[in-house]
Amino acid sequence: MNLIKAEKRLLEILLQKSFKYSEAPIFKLVSGRMSNYYINCKTTTLDPEAMLLIGHLFYNKVKPLHINAIGGLTLGADPIAFAAAMVSGMQDDAINAFVVRKKAKEHGLMKWIEGNVQEGNKVVIVDDVVTTGQSTIEAIDRARESNLNVIKAIALVDRQEGGRENIEKRTVPFESVFTRDDLMNLYKKR
């Protein structure tokens, strides 16, 4: 797959399916703050064409890291981790997916993390959108509590509102496939 074309197409899908903009701050964020931007990546990450593109793009970002698994806080991270794991399997380079629960399981082993991971595994934490970074940080903390070796965090979209800096305070390198600026630049062209 041509990764440059894949990235360009995925940005178009994000703009079409997931991005909303208003001159006035009319969108309420999880934090309660009002914003001019709303980015609901789930309409993209759950789209079949986008899922394939995401799988290839994320797999190619993590392949050089030689990780055991990829995952993050449910629900935003799930389709990204599953897509990357599936593409890794198609390349005969199996990277497991895992899910970090928002609440520990209340029965059985009462685990925070589900999937084929074990102590000491090298993992990458993923997320769909990073604003303050709180969901990503929660996933990093839970992974570390489970003795996983978190080597990087990758988001589909960075809203450029402090999330990168907050995540990097946890001594985890961060990158995103796209930024809010990327979406705004394409939005202005349209």
Side-chain angles (χ1 to χ4, degrees):
M1 175 173 284
N2 180 319
L3 296 178
I4 294 169
K5 286 182 180 177
E7 202 169 282
K8 183 178 178 194
R9 177 64 185 136
L10 184 56
L11 184 61
E12 291 170 358
I13 294 170
L14 273 165
L15 183 68
Q16 175 191 13
K17 293 184 177 285
S18 299
F19 184 74
K20 305 273 186 258
Y21 174 75
S22 169
E23 290 292 328
I26 61 170
F27 304 107
K28 188 173 184 178
L29 304 178
V30 172
S31 66
R33 193 172 57 77
M34 300 303 285
S35 175
N36 300 71
Y37 309 92
Y38 182 66
I39 307 168
N40 177 11
C41 281
K42 284 142 195 86
T43 54
T44 295
T45 61
L46 295 170
D47 174 84
E49 178 188 5
M51 204 178 285
L52 184 60
L53 298 170
I54 288 166
H56 281 281
L57 290 168
F58 274 77
Y59 169 70
N60 279 283
K61 286 187 178 296
V62 302
K63 181 180 177 179
L65 304 174
H66 306 288
I67 60 171
N68 303 100
I70 185 169
L73 193 67
T74 197
L75 175 73
D78 298 347
I80 295 169
F82 302 161
M86 180 175 276
V87 169
S88 78
M90 292 165 45
Q91 307 298 321
D92 290 324
D93 181 28
I95 296 171
N96 290 308
F98 67 94
V99 173
V100 179
R101 293 175 176 274
K102 291 185 179 178
K103 183 177 166 192
K105 196 172 178 181
E106 294 181 2
H107 60 281
L109 299 177
M110 296 179 250
K111 294 171 26 172
W112 281 96
I113 295 180
E114 296 293 346
N116 294 311
V117 290
Q118 43 193 297
E119 288 188 17
N121 278 172
K122 288 172 50 175
V123 302
V124 166
I125 299 295
V126 294
D127 210 339
D128 57 354
V129 180
V130 166
T131 303
T132 65
Q134 194 53 46
S135 295
T136 306
I137 290 167
E138 187 175 334
I140 290 167
D141 291 348
R142 296 286 177 230
R144 285 178 168 167
E145 288 167 10
S146 297
N147 296 311
L148 299 177
N149 180 10
V150 179
I151 60 168
K152 191 170 201 168
I154 306 173
L156 180 58
V157 179
D158 179 1
R159 284 179 54 103
Q160 300 171 292
E161 295 183 28
R164 167 187 294 277
E165 295 78 6
N166 292 334
I167 292 164
E168 289 178 343
K169 285 178 188 172
R170 291 290 205 276
T171 65
V172 174
F174 173 82
E175 76 173 288
S176 65
V177 179
F178 303 110
T179 64
R180 179 194 66 209
D181 286 349
D182 294 330
L183 284 162
M184 272 308 293
N185 289 338
L186 187 57
Y187 176 83
K188 288 175 183 175
K189 286 181 185 174
R190 306 285 165 165

